[in-house]
Amino acid sequence: GTWTSESSIVMAAPGGAYDYDLFVIGGGSGGLAAAKTAADLGAKVAVADFVKPSPAGTTWGLGGTCVNVGCIPKKLMHISSLYRDTQFDAHGMGWDTKSSHSW
């Protein structure tokens, strides 16, 4: 069988037939962009991605290292960690910042 996402990217199931116009190795942002563009232009596309589980057994789906465990999560945590100081600075400039957050 196969699975089709909303963007028409088709992923081959193990043991499936292999008749594609484009076979993309790597489900990171570049590979997914190439696959989506080709699929949008009518190509039959397959995407192959593999993540070796960490010693703790952690894996992730498509999106690549940057999206799942690298740049994006790091930026989110960094910006979040600075938010309290940003609120304090904004208050000093006349902004009413009475929001709170609890993990």
Side-chain angles (χ1 to χ4, degrees):
T2 58
W3 172 80
T4 306
S5 74
E6 295 87 52
S7 63
S8 300
I9 298 173
V10 177
M11 300 175 67
Y18 302 100
D19 183 19
Y20 299 100
D21 299 313
L22 177 65
F23 186 80
V24 179
I25 299 173
S29 36
L32 291 179
K36 183 178 182 329
T37 299
D40 288 346
L41 293 171
K44 187 174 178 184
V45 179
V47 177
D49 193 46
F50 174 76
V51 175
K52 182 178 179 182
S54 72
T58 304
T59 62
W60 59 84
L62 293 175
T65 301
C66 188
V67 171
N68 290 292
V69 294
C71 308
I72 306 303
K74 179 185 75 180
K75 288 177 184 175
L76 172 65
M77 292 299 148
H78 179 73
I79 291 169
S80 298
S81 71
L82 298 175
Y83 190 70
R84 182 112 173 140
D85 290 337
T86 302
Q87 272 191 308
F88 181 79
D89 292 342
H91 182 72
M93 292 183 269
W95 288 91
D96 185 11
T97 58
K98 295 181 182 176
S99 63
S100 64
H101 178 74
S102 173
W103 291 104

